[in-house]
Amino acid sequence: MADNFDAIVIGGGPGGYNAAIRLGQLGLTSACIDKRGTFGGTCLNVGCIPSKALLHASERFHEAKEDFAKLGIKAKVELDLPAMMAQKTKVVGELTKGVEFLLKKAKSEAIVGEARITAPGKVEVKGADGKVRSLTAKHIIIATGSDVAPLPGVTIDEMQIVSSTGALSLTSVPKKLLVVGAGVIGLELGSVYRRLGAEVTVVEFLDRITPGIDGEVGKAFQRILTKQGFTFQLSTKVTGVEKKGSGLKVSVEPAAGGEKSTIDCDVMLVAIGRVPYTAGLGLAEVGVELDKRGRVITDNHYRTKVPGIYAVGDCREGAMLAHKAEDEATACAEIIAGKAGHVNYDAIPSVVYTFPEVATVGKSEEELKAAGIQYKVGKFPFTANARAKTIMATDGLVKILADAKTDKVLGCAIVGPEAGNLIAEVVLAMEFGASSEDIARTCHSHPTLSEAVRQAAMGVEGWTMQM
Ligand code: FAD
Ligand code: NAI
């Protein structure tokens, strides 16, 4: 086996494997190294994919239990959690194998082991057997991703005090689940266990859930989750946890300080964010700089200060999202191959896969206000959408923001059924610099949920027709 490549990619997640695939398509040789043992990174192994498998299964369970009767379907429904987990594991296995196949097809050597950069163009890989292999390449791409942000004073055991990883493999449904952090992970995995019967309390430091998402849509989302049985304790922080019998006693206090109290639960999920992961890579020794938050500093061509060393994905600045990592990987590989790789950060969608889903792209109303940009708003509630009525999913709304002068679409936030798919239309519109009128005058099939997007776009110019 040759030990010299055009590029070495460290990390086999969406940032790493997509970089290797694109390099291969552009005729460059590469090695893709991951220490996990399977490829696909956080996303395929302990992130996007297993969480979406459990979200799907738990949603079907809840639907069968609560909604089938309303549709005239009589069913006796029983939970088989081990089978649900097994289905999730099967999907993960198939997809991680799929990545190995894609790397092979791209003629990228998939190497299992821990990589360390010893000098520009030089990487050492330590295999599970302790053997070290030395590799060389003109280019090195760091795509080492992120890890769970720790909660000071709390030790995660992945059994009772869990991160998302442990929460994806619980062996029983907790009677009481306490979630720390009302962000994406807390609300997605909280939804899984809420649907399976857990009482779910979410403790959030800030005075709102899903910070960063348009405030009005965030509020609507919180109302919907509360209706589903979630309990929120906002502006509150967890200060400690102790084991009490078979359960946990969690200490909380107001974020601004004040009287302490305790919450009893069976399982606590810590979901207060993720931090870039670059431990053991030898970055300081080789001269690659990190910012205050531990993210690899790069320019907008993904180049670090050290010639020939690049970084993409969760380990550098920006949203920690699989598709953002993928797009950066593609652009970085293209730049290495001498092409004009580019990512449009104004058009990267973000989706929370609860029911209903929440999807956003571009600017929120708060961001436009803060930037002093004049805008117009169009909104449409799913209660007025015919398809939403037929599928009994009328909670939520579409909100479109457009420039007051040019009508160019600046942002969109949706809480509602299929929001994650619906947002794609607006993302494409934004990529093409479309106006809200372009969406409003585009024919949409009837009866579909996408008509709600059109009606919201009509609302920007004040001619929503179906309200
Ligand atoms: P990663 O996927 O983290 O991959 C990095 C890889 O590098 C890891 O496999 C690691 O083992 C390896 N590595 C690190 N250091 C070394 C080393 N020295 N040597 C060798 N290998 C090394 N995003 C979405 O867009 N949609 C979702 O629905 C979604 N759901 C999520 C659900 C959960 C529970 C979590 C935790 C995350 C979710 N994410 C989701 C985020 C998504 O997983 C990440 O944004 C994405 O995986 C980042 O890709 P990456 O390639 O940058 O890093
Ligand atoms: P997050 O950043 O989405 O949310 C963390 C929440 O915890 C925030 O609301 C924050 O205010 C709160 N918080 C922070 N410290 C706290 C404390 N001490 N006590 C109480 N609350 C506290 O992070 P999360 O949910 O852990 O997800 C990590 C990353 O993974 C996200 O940034 C996201 O990009 C990615 N992800 C994406 C998904 C998707 O695209 N559907 C799904 C899951 C994860």
Side-chain angles (χ1 to χ4, degrees), residues 252-436:
V252 296
E253 65 178 55
E259 207 174 311
K260 283 189 180 173
S261 56
T262 56
I263 304 173
D264 291 331
C265 65
D266 305 297
V267 173
M268 176 166 110
L269 163 61
V270 178
I272 59 165
R274 292 180 62 83
V275 286
Y277 184 80
T278 56
L281 268 178
L283 296 188
E285 293 83 339
V286 87
V288 171
E289 289 179 344
L290 304 181
D291 68 12
K292 274 190 280 193
R293 291 162 66 178
R295 303 175 299 191
V296 179
I297 299 176
T298 66
D299 63 11
N300 56 10
H301 279 180
Y302 311 102
R303 292 179 296 214
T304 67
K305 262 199 161 166
V306 182
I309 303 185
Y310 307 75
V312 299
D314 279 13
C315 68
R316 72 180 288 278
E317 68 174 306
M320 287 184 171
L321 295 170
H323 43 280
K324 176 259 193 188
E326 175 184 347
D327 280 17
E328 290 185 349
T330 307
C332 182
E334 288 170 353
I335 288 164
I336 286 174
K339 295 186 172 293
H342 175 71
V343 176
N344 175 7
Y345 289 96
D346 290 331
I348 294 187
S350 177
V351 181
V352 190
Y353 295 87
T354 43
F355 188 86
E357 292 178 347
V358 181
T360 56
V361 63
K363 298 272 186 279
S364 66
E365 194 165 352
E366 290 78 12
E367 285 171 332
L368 291 176
K369 272 192 188 134
I373 297 169
Q374 299 294 307
Y375 61 91
K376 287 191 283 186
V377 188
K379 292 183 223 174
F380 193 76
F382 282 98
T383 40
N385 175 268
R387 188 60 181 276
K389 281 250 185 243
T390 66
I391 60 168
M392 301 195 307
T394 50
D395 278 339
L397 73 148
V398 179
K399 178 170 176 180
I400 293 183
L401 299 153
D403 188 282
K405 275 207 197 93
T406 63
D407 193 31
K408 188 175 170 188
V409 178
L410 300 174
C412 175
I414 306 174
V415 53
E418 298 284 335
N421 285 326
L422 295 178
I423 201 85
E425 167 182 7
V426 185
V427 178
L428 189 67
M430 288 178 71
E431 270 294 340
F432 279 78
S435 63
S436 79

Side-chain angles (χ1 to χ4, degrees), residues 63-77:
E63 199 179 9
K65 226 168 149 228
E66 305 295 329
D67 297 336
F68 273 18
K70 296 177 205 154
L71 297 169
I73 304 166
K74 285 187 181 173
K76 236 180 128 188
V77 183

Side-chain angles (χ1 to χ4, degrees), residues 39-296:
F39 284 77
T42 303
C43 174
L44 267 63
N45 289 282
V46 290
C48 324
I49 298 307
S51 60
K52 264 78 260 179
L54 291 184
L55 278 158
H56 174 76
S58 60
E59 197 178 317
R60 296 289 81 76
F61 172 75
H62 184 263
E63 199 179 9
K65 226 168 149 228
E66 305 295 329
D67 297 336
F68 273 18
K70 296 177 205 154
L71 297 169
I73 304 166
K74 285 187 181 173
K76 236 180 128 188
V77 183
E78 210 183 308
L79 177 66
D80 181 349
L81 189 64
M84 198 178 270
M85 291 291 173
Q87 191 273 344
K88 170 212 70 176
T89 306
K90 182 169 170 277
V91 171
V92 167
E94 285 168 6
L95 287 172
T96 54
K97 280 267 163 275
V99 170
E100 279 178 39
F101 166 78
L102 291 174
L103 288 173
K104 205 169 174 184
K105 193 172 155 216
K107 297 194 171 52
S108 175
E109 188 186 342
I111 302 174
V112 175
E114 182 157 7
R116 191 168 66 89
I117 304 171
T118 52
K122 290 191 177 152
V123 171
E124 275 185 7
V125 192
K126 194 167 160 197
D129 56 6
K131 281 195 188 141
V132 174
R133 185 171 158 199
S134 298
L135 309 175
T136 54
K138 199 165 165 206
H139 309 279
I140 297 171
I141 302 178
I142 303 166
T144 47
S146 61
D147 202 357
V148 177
L151 179 59
V154 172
T155 308
I156 289 173
D157 61 18
E158 296 298 13
M159 306 284 284
Q160 216 174 1
I161 303 173
V162 296
S163 71
S164 51
T165 302
L168 289 167
S169 295
L170 294 183
T171 50
S172 62
V173 178
K175 198 165 170 307
K176 290 185 180 176
L177 172 69
L178 183 110
V179 177
V180 193
V184 203
I185 291 181
L187 300 180
E188 285 189 356
L189 293 176
S191 286
V192 166
Y193 290 104
R194 176 74 203 113
R195 293 162 186 170
L196 300 183
E199 285 173 35
V200 179
T201 301
V202 184
V203 176
E204 164 62 46
F205 189 80
L206 300 176
D207 61 358
R208 53 158 301 175
I209 69 167
T210 53
I213 286 180
D214 186 280
E216 183 182 17
V217 165
K219 274 208 182 92
F221 185 36
Q222 189 184 335
R223 273 196 302 274
I224 295 168
L225 291 177
T226 303
K227 235 169 48 182
Q228 292 175 5
F230 273 79
T231 303
F232 291 101
Q233 283 203 13
L234 303 182
S235 305
T236 304
K237 63 181 176 196
V238 167
T239 52
V241 57
E242 59 184 69
K243 299 218 173 178
K244 187 190 145 224
S246 60
L248 299 170
K249 199 178 239 334
V250 182
S251 308
V252 296
E253 65 178 55
E259 207 174 311
K260 283 189 180 173
S261 56
T262 56
I263 304 173
D264 291 331
C265 65
D266 305 297
V267 173
M268 176 166 110
L269 163 61
V270 178
I272 59 165
R274 292 180 62 83
V275 286
Y277 184 80
T278 56
L281 268 178
L283 296 188
E285 293 83 339
V286 87
V288 171
E289 289 179 344
L290 304 181
D291 68 12
K292 274 190 280 193
R293 291 162 66 178
R295 303 175 299 191
V296 179

